[in-house]
Amino acid sequence: MVDMTTNGQTRRKRGPVAGTAEARRGGQAVAAKYGREFYSQIGKKGGDTVRREQGSEFYAQIGKKGGESTKRNQGPDFYARIGKKGGESNKGPRSTAGNIITE
């Protein structure tokens, strides 16, 4: 639990600890009550707020930071390996537009 301070008094944050069975049941109850669309809407609201407050450049910065972190953790050849896997999974006859032909 996270402690919060209000007017010099410490109080515990309401609700179950994230990752516990109680938190999971709470999330399932909200999903049952509001449906999947609810999560989509609140995620969009959050993303719009971040874009408005931080600017669109913020996303480029965090993407670059994440890419650098992945490169550091996975090694410099990681992107080559996943690129090769992606290329292999898309092999097949292609049209002149580059789309896979399915018959």
Side-chain angles (χ1 to χ4, degrees):
M1 269 295 146
V2 176
D3 290 333
M4 299 169 59
T5 304
T6 305
N7 299 331
Q9 297 176 341
T10 302
R11 61 186 172 96
R12 292 173 59 91
K13 185 176 176 185
R14 291 177 21 174
V17 176
T20 62
E22 292 83 9
R24 197 169 0 272
R25 281 196 303 272
Q28 289 169 344
V30 171
K33 183 175 181 180
Y34 295 108
R36 290 179 53 102
E37 184 63 25
F38 172 75
Y39 290 103
S40 215
Q41 290 171 351
I42 62 174
K44 182 169 179 4
K45 277 185 173 180
D48 290 346
T49 300
V50 169
R51 186 174 52 248
R52 186 177 63 252
E53 292 178 359
Q54 302 289 330
S56 57
E57 182 60 28
F58 172 74
Y59 292 104
Q61 291 172 350
I62 62 173
K64 183 176 180 181
K65 189 175 180 180
E68 290 169 352
S69 186
T70 299
K71 184 177 178 180
R72 184 178 59 251
N73 294 334
Q74 300 291 333
D77 63 330
F78 172 74
Y79 290 106
R81 287 195 318 270
I82 63 171
K84 185 175 180 181
K85 283 183 183 179
E88 290 171 355
S89 70
N90 290 327
K91 285 186 178 171
R94 295 190 181 273
S95 70
T96 56
N99 300 325
I100 295 176
I101 299 171
T102 55
E103 294 181 24

